[in-house]
Amino acid sequence: MIAQWAGSRGLRYEPFPDEAWFRQWEPHDTIAPPSHFLNAVTWLAAPHPGHIVLVEPWYAFDDMPPLDRTVMAFASHPSLGPRAAIRGGEHFLTRVAFIESARPPEVALGDPAWDALVTTFAASPQTARQAFHGRLRKLLLGWKFQGHLELRAGGLVLHFEGLRPIQEDYDRLLRITQQVVEKAVTPRP
């Protein structure tokens, strides 16, 4: 079904994508690494720089059913960054152990609505405010964002809570990710 959806939109589909590409994004700041990835769909932002990969992270050993199923996005764009992350809510893929890297510092931005909605992680409040500037915060606040969003130099990783690995949610996540990237790379006010 995902293959048909991707084909109908001219997107590249890989049922078993290259794990190495996804592993280069690790370690994540707020997301636990899955055992593997399935059903990757790639959208190219031609003629603009960047691309988005939607994928189902598989959180189970090969002989076990998964804890739950979701879809997440990886986006590349040269204007993304600096490194900061947010988490809204507690989800089955939330990272709880920090073995290969230190837990990032938790910071407040001084924006009461934002600080009540999400937990922000960054090297400093200033870095967090740079990454999650006013336009991006306004978008995410309008959605009452629940999930994970990690920004870094040249990319982002997005989990939007409640989306499943079905055609409609792949389509929705592509639109959401496009909007997040657009707001994140918009010049800061």
Side-chain angles (χ1 to χ4, degrees):
M1 298 291 267
I2 302 303
Q4 292 172 336
W5 171 81
S8 72
R9 286 161 178 72
L11 307 174
R12 187 176 78 220
Y13 171 74
E14 296 175 89
F16 303 101
D18 178 16
E19 291 278 329
W21 188 85
F22 295 100
R23 299 302 177 194
Q24 73 183 352
W25 293 79
E26 295 173 4
H28 300 291
D29 291 334
T30 64
I31 303 169
S35 52
H36 56 273
F37 297 91
L38 302 170
N39 299 313
V41 175
T42 302
W43 174 82
L44 300 175
H48 306 290
H51 68 280
I52 296 171
V53 178
L54 309 175
V55 68
E56 179 181 358
W58 192 257
Y59 287 92
F61 295 110
D62 290 329
D63 59 344
M64 303 283 293
L67 295 170
D68 201 354
R69 295 180 66 193
T70 191
V71 62
M72 52 192 297
F74 293 78
S76 297
H77 189 286
S79 297
L80 287 169
R83 188 171 190 123
I86 59 169
R87 182 188 70 236
E90 293 292 334
H91 311 282
F92 74 94
L93 51 66
T94 297
R95 184 173 177 195
V96 294
F98 291 87
I99 297 169
E100 71 277 0
S101 63
R103 178 182 169 88
E106 192 174 314
V107 299
L109 272 64
D111 175 337
W114 178 262
D115 292 335
L117 179 67
V118 297
T119 304
T120 305
F121 302 90
S124 69
Q126 179 183 358
T127 300
R129 280 189 289 278
Q130 272 186 290
F132 297 104
H133 56 79
R135 288 187 179 109
L136 182 54
R137 286 199 315 271
K138 182 177 178 182
L139 175 72
L140 298 172
L141 282 166
W143 291 338
K144 295 180 177 40
F145 180 79
Q146 292 291 292
H148 299 81
L149 175 57
E150 299 187 4
L151 294 169
R152 55 193 62 188
L156 67 78
V157 181
L158 173 63
H159 163 250
F160 197 89
E161 196 272 327
L163 299 184
R164 314 285 295 158
I166 60 174
Q167 293 178 24
E168 295 82 4
D169 286 352
Y170 266 75
D171 195 54
R172 185 172 176 214
L173 184 58
L174 179 58
R175 289 190 316 273
I176 288 167
T177 307
Q178 289 168 331
Q179 290 177 53
V180 169
V181 170
E182 179 186 328
K183 293 296 183 189
V185 303
T186 301
R188 276 73 173 156

